[in-house]
Amino acid sequence: MKYALEIKKLRKIYKTNICAINSIDLKVKIGDFYALLGPNGAGKSTTIGILSSLIKKSSGLVKIFGYDIDKDKINTKKKIGLVPQEFNFSPFETINQIVINQAGFYGIKKSIAIDRAKKYLNKLELWDQRNKPARVLSGGTKRRLMIARALMHKPKVLILDEPTAGVDVEIRRLIWKLLINLNKNGKTIILTTHYFEEAEFLCNHIGIMQYGILIKNTSIQKLLSKVKSEKFILESSSDISKIKIEGYNFKNLQKNTLEVEVDKKKGLNDLFFQLNSQNIHIISMRNKSNRLEELFLNLVSK
Ligand code: ADP
Ligand code: MG
């Protein structure tokens, strides 16, 4: 068995007649870090809801680590750790109670649950807040609590629906670091995200969804190799509004900033040679936009 997840001809039509998923086929290898990317309403949460048996599919086949979700609910449930998009814990229970009770649902001994709670709450920097009831926690703390809770039964695959939506940069970094470590230690991770840089930074493979269809399913590397040119913003220490550059499309944004389009085949050396020969001192350079974002916009506008 090579796959953490196998989906065949998955369809979901809600009672309202909305076709949220229209025949998806997808395989995610054991140990992979996979991102489902797509606009609101694409069907990402519905897909994740079906994997974790919270939503009933209309048709198709779903296997988790080889277990069919219809035929072997107990084994599939044990394999999955779910971090849903919406907070779904009791507002009156404390952080500690929530994670320990979760272990109880999976039949884990109390003494083991107490140790694990300490370990995961520390990893997510929640230990000091463990006696606070959920209702008083900030959005970022609640998100981290959901991740700690999902890890309590040591699932083989962690599935997260928009895990960093609405959290601040510091917490996002903490979550990213944890996910990277978990994946390095063998856990398969599947997440949905709106953030292109999140997919690019974390994941090996990516699926792009639109209108319930998986319009692209590929590796991040392959996807990025399709980028033929990139736009860079260059900042100079002096006025460069009269600059001359041969062989590159460029425009002046301000008197000391420049936007230059660089064809990957041509590269940057000649650009810097020309800048040097005009005694122009470049003090910073950045990509104008995320490369995946541009590709994504091209894909979904077709
Ligand atoms: P995403 O997570 O990509 O934003 P969703 O899976 O939440 O997308 O939604 C996919 C489509 O299904 C949307 O058109 C949404 O309005 C619809 N939908 C989601 N949940 C329900 C529901 N419980 N009942 C009816 N329609 C739903
Ligand atoms: Mg969603």
Side-chain angles (χ1 to χ4, degrees):
M1 186 233 322
K2 290 195 315 233
Y3 298 104
L5 170 67
E6 282 179 82
I7 296 179
K8 278 189 196 144
K9 294 197 172 130
L10 183 66
R11 254 172 101 78
K12 173 66 188 176
I13 300 169
Y14 282 108
K15 284 193 185 115
T16 49
N17 255 344
I18 287 174
C19 180
I21 303 177
N22 192 356
S23 199
I24 283 184
D25 289 289
L26 172 65
K27 284 178 180 168
V28 176
K29 282 199 174 139
I30 293 174
D32 201 357
F33 204 141
Y34 191 94
L36 263 183
L37 204 70
N40 266 332
K44 304 181 296 297
S45 293
T46 303
T47 306
I48 283 197
I50 292 169
L51 304 186
S52 50
S53 298
L54 292 175
I55 297 174
K56 206 171 171 310
K57 60 186 162 56
S58 304
S59 58
L61 180 89
V62 178
K63 281 186 177 176
I64 309 279
F65 279 83
Y67 295 111
D68 186 318
I69 59 162
D70 295 326
K71 294 182 187 151
D72 207 335
K73 285 203 165 61
I74 295 175
N75 274 316
T76 47
K77 219 177 154 204
K78 272 191 198 160
K79 299 278 181 232
I80 291 181
L82 177 71
V83 182
Q85 191 169 7
E86 308 292 338
F87 302 124
N88 64 347
F89 35 67
S90 157
F92 304 106
E93 287 182 359
T94 66
I95 291 183
N96 211 33
Q97 283 167 338
I98 288 169
V99 291
I100 286 181
N101 287 345
Q102 178 78 359
F105 295 139
Y106 287 87
I108 294 163
K109 265 181 30 194
K110 187 87 181 243
S111 57
I112 294 175
I114 289 170
D115 282 352
R116 273 192 206 166
K118 189 169 182 184
K119 176 177 158 190
Y120 292 123
L121 293 182
N122 267 314
K123 272 190 199 281
L124 282 147
E125 298 183 8
L126 293 169
W127 182 244
D128 293 346
Q129 302 191 64
R130 66 189 177 282
N131 294 319
K132 283 189 185 167
R135 67 176 186 280
V136 304
L137 307 175
S138 67
T141 308
K142 285 180 181 161
R143 190 65 60 193
R144 282 180 286 154
L145 168 57
M146 300 241 285
I147 298 173
R149 185 184 61 174
L151 292 169
M152 285 299 285
H153 64 289
K154 295 205 165 166
K156 291 246 182 244
V157 52
L158 186 64
I159 301 180
L160 310 102
D161 198 358
E162 312 252 359
T164 61
V167 305
D168 64 34
V169 179
E170 210 179 322
I171 306 282
R172 180 178 299 176
R173 292 280 160 179
L174 175 80
I175 294 175
W176 282 2
K177 200 172 128 202
L178 176 88
L179 295 181
I180 288 168
N181 270 331
L182 289 168
N183 183 246
K184 268 194 190 144
N185 288 318
K187 209 177 290 297
T188 310
I189 301 187
I190 300 171
L191 56 77
T192 74
T193 183
H194 263 84
Y195 302 114
F196 302 92
E197 74 273 22
E198 182 160 274
E200 187 177 346
F201 187 71
L202 295 176
C203 303
N204 306 320
H205 289 97
I206 187 169
I208 296 177
M209 280 188 84
Q210 190 188 25
Y211 305 129
I213 296 168
L214 197 62
I215 58 173
K216 200 92 197 166
N217 179 24
T218 181
S219 72
I220 296 270
Q221 248 180 350
K222 268 196 198 142
L223 197 61
L224 288 175
S225 71
K226 298 220 170 0
V227 178
K228 300 280 181 265
S229 71
E230 289 184 67
K231 284 183 182 152
F232 292 95
I233 308 290
L234 275 61
E235 191 188 345
S236 162
S237 53
S238 55
D239 186 343
I240 47 171
S241 51
K242 303 253 172 350
I243 194 169
K244 288 191 178 68
I245 304 172
E246 304 269 322
Y248 292 88
N249 287 328
F250 71 98
K251 61 180 172 194
N252 286 96
L253 300 178
Q254 283 165 354
K255 72 177 176 16
N256 50 358
T257 39
L258 196 68
E259 179 186 309
V260 187
E261 188 173 352
V262 178
D263 192 316
K264 273 194 165 171
K265 277 196 193 132
K266 187 167 167 65
L268 286 156
N269 286 18
D270 182 39
L271 172 67
F272 277 97
F273 177 77
Q274 294 187 49
L275 294 168
N276 270 340
S277 58
Q278 293 171 68
N279 278 330
I280 289 164
H281 183 49
I282 297 298
I283 54 171
S284 81
M285 173 168 151
R286 65 174 171 85
N287 269 68
K288 186 186 178 196
S289 57
N290 183 285
R291 297 165 295 170
L292 271 182
E293 187 169 313
E294 297 227 326
L295 268 178
F296 176 76
L297 291 173
N298 279 335
L299 280 169
V300 297
S301 64
K302 273 178 193 159

